[in-house]
Amino acid sequence: MNQFCSKVLSCGHYLPQKCVTNFDLEKKMNTSNEWITQRTGIKQRYIAEGVNETTAQMAYKAAQQALEIADIKPDDVDMIILATSTPDHAFPASAVKVQALLKANNAFAFDMQAACSGFIYALSTADNFIKTGGAKTVVVIGADRMSSLVDWHDRTTAVLFGDGAGAYVLQAQAYSPHQGILSTHLFSNGMQYESLYVDDSNCTNKYGYIKMDGKLIYKNAILKIGQAVTTALNANNLSVNDVDWFVPHQANQRILESICDHFHIPYEKMIMTIADHANTSAATIPLATYKGIADGKIKAGDLLVLEALGGGLTWGSAALRFG
Ligand code: ACO
C-alpha cells in the first residue's frame, strides 16, 4: 500500500516569440494552407530562435511559471525530469541546465527520451518516485525544439511540427485513491522503430532530420491511443462520462476526432491545440493543459485522461485529478 500520492499543483508553459502560419510556409515550400488544414488541422506553429529559446531555456521558462503558480520555491524542488528529443547538447542533460537556471539547488535532474510520449513517461516516473518516497516535490517538463529536426525541403514532415515547452509541479500528499495521479500506463514496440525516427547519417544538421511513414503512424495512433485510453479508464473503473477532459498528444486533428468518434467522446471534452501549436512532441500535453486552464475549461478537482503516441513506437496514458 502506498503512503503517498502525487498531487498535480500547477501547470506552466512557454511558446516562442515567432509564429509561422501556413501562409508563411506557402512562400517557403510547395504546400498550401488548404492541404495542411484539411489533412492535419494545423493553422500555425511557433518556431524557436536563438540562444534564449533553446530547449533548456524554454523548459526553464515553463517550469518557472509552474512553480510561481504553485507558490513553490526552487529550493523546495527535489527532482526535475525533462522529457525531450531535442536536448541542447548530447550531454549533459538539459534538465541540469534547467536546474541551474531555476537555482533549484536541492534537486537532482535528468532528461528522459520517449519522443512524443515523453511527457507521459516522465509523469509516470515522477509519480513512482513520489509514491515510493524518493521525492516530494517534482517538476515534470515536456520541451522540444522540433524545428531543429525538420528538413525544410521535406514538405511531408516540415509542416507538422512546432516548438514549445510545458511543465507540471507535483507534490507528495497522503495517499488517497481518488486524488492526484490515479494511474499511468506505458507501452512500447521497438519493432516499429523505423516508422518514425531521426536519420543522423549523411547530414549536416546538428541532429539529423525526421523520417516518417505518415500513414503507418496514423493507423497506429488510432489503434494504440485507443488501447491506452481504454487501459486508463478500466484501471480506474471509469467511463468516458466520468472524465471531465481528455488531454491528448496533438499530432493531427483527424487522429483526435477519430478517437472521439470511437469512444463517443464529445469533441468539446477534448482539449485541442493542434491548430495553434502544431505538434510540439513532448510539450503538447502540458501546453494543452495550460491552454485548457487559461480558457477556463480545466478547473481544480477535474478528472483528466492524458494520452500520447510517438516514435519508438512508444505510447501511454495517465488518469489524474487536477489540483
Ligand atoms: N503540402 C502539399 N502536399 C503534400 C504535403 C504538403 N505539406 N505533404 C504531402 N503532400 C502530398 C504528397 O506528396 C502526396 O502527393 P501525391 O498524391 O501527388 O503523391 C499527397 O499530398 C498525399 O500524401 P499522403 O502522404 O498520402 O497524405 P496523407 O493523407 O497520408 O496525409 C499526413 C499525410 C498528414 C502526414 C498523415 O499521414 C498523418 O497525419 N499521419 C500521422 C503522422 C503524424 O502525425 N506524425 C507526427 C509525429 S508522430 C506523432 O506525433 C503521433
Side-chain angles (χ1 to χ4, degrees), residues 30-269:
N30 181 16
T31 190
S32 66
N33 174 54
E34 192 190 0
W35 192 96
I36 302 170
T37 309
Q38 278 181 3
R39 304 280 174 135
T40 71
I42 297 166
K43 291 190 163 44
Q44 61 173 43
R45 72 283 294 139
Y46 293 87
I47 300 295
E49 290 184 309
V51 294
N52 290 326
E53 289 183 339
T54 67
T55 292
Q57 287 285 347
M58 294 192 292
Y60 157 62
K61 287 162 190 161
Q64 188 182 40
Q65 185 186 37
L67 286 169
E68 278 169 17
I69 293 169
D71 199 18
I72 298 280
K73 293 185 193 64
D75 271 349
D76 293 333
V77 175
D78 44 21
M79 176 171 167
I80 299 169
I81 313 182
L82 169 56
T84 187
S85 305
T86 54
D88 289 11
H89 300 284
F91 77 87
S94 292
V96 297
K97 267 197 183 178
V98 176
Q99 175 192 11
L101 289 163
L102 286 172
K103 300 189 179 60
N105 301 315
N106 300 315
F108 61 94
F110 61 95
D111 288 358
M112 180 160 270
Q113 212 276 53
C116 297
S117 312
F119 189 75
I120 300 272
Y121 271 65
L123 195 69
S124 180
T125 304
D127 182 41
N128 280 294
F129 265 87
I130 287 176
K131 277 182 183 152
T132 53
K136 282 197 175 129
T137 305
V138 183
V139 180
V140 183
I141 312 164
D144 267 307
R145 186 165 157 153
M146 295 304 285
S147 58
S148 313
L149 303 179
V150 161
D151 177 357
W152 292 105
H153 299 290
D154 176 8
R155 66 177 182 173
T156 66
T157 53
V159 302
L160 303 176
F161 295 96
D163 303 330
Y168 285 6
V169 176
L170 309 184
Q171 198 162 55
Q173 68 169 25
Y175 178 74
S176 153
H178 307 296
Q179 294 299 317
I181 296 179
L182 306 181
S183 66
T184 60
H185 311 277
L186 306 180
F187 309 91
S188 68
N189 179 2
M191 299 300 281
Q192 287 171 322
Y193 190 95
E194 288 183 7
S195 58
L196 179 59
Y197 68 104
V198 171
D199 173 10
D200 52 9
S201 58
N202 302 320
C203 167
T204 54
N205 185 357
K206 183 175 164 191
Y207 299 108
Y209 292 133
I210 296 167
K211 306 284 174 198
M212 180 181 75
D213 181 339
K215 284 196 199 308
L216 194 71
I217 292 290
Y218 191 95
K219 271 192 226 147
N220 271 292
I222 291 170
L223 278 173
K224 294 191 159 67
I225 289 172
Q227 176 196 3
V229 170
T230 306
T231 307
L233 293 176
N234 290 347
N236 297 288
N237 291 320
L238 296 170
S239 76
V240 163
N241 292 339
D242 297 318
V243 178
D244 294 299
W245 302 103
F246 289 85
V247 188
H249 168 55
Q250 316 274 323
N252 184 311
Q253 179 103 16
R254 289 188 299 157
I255 294 175
L256 301 183
E257 288 175 356
S258 296
I259 293 163
C260 284
D261 294 343
H262 183 77
F263 284 97
H264 306 291
I265 300 168
Y267 289 1
E268 310 77 62
K269 250 192 180 191

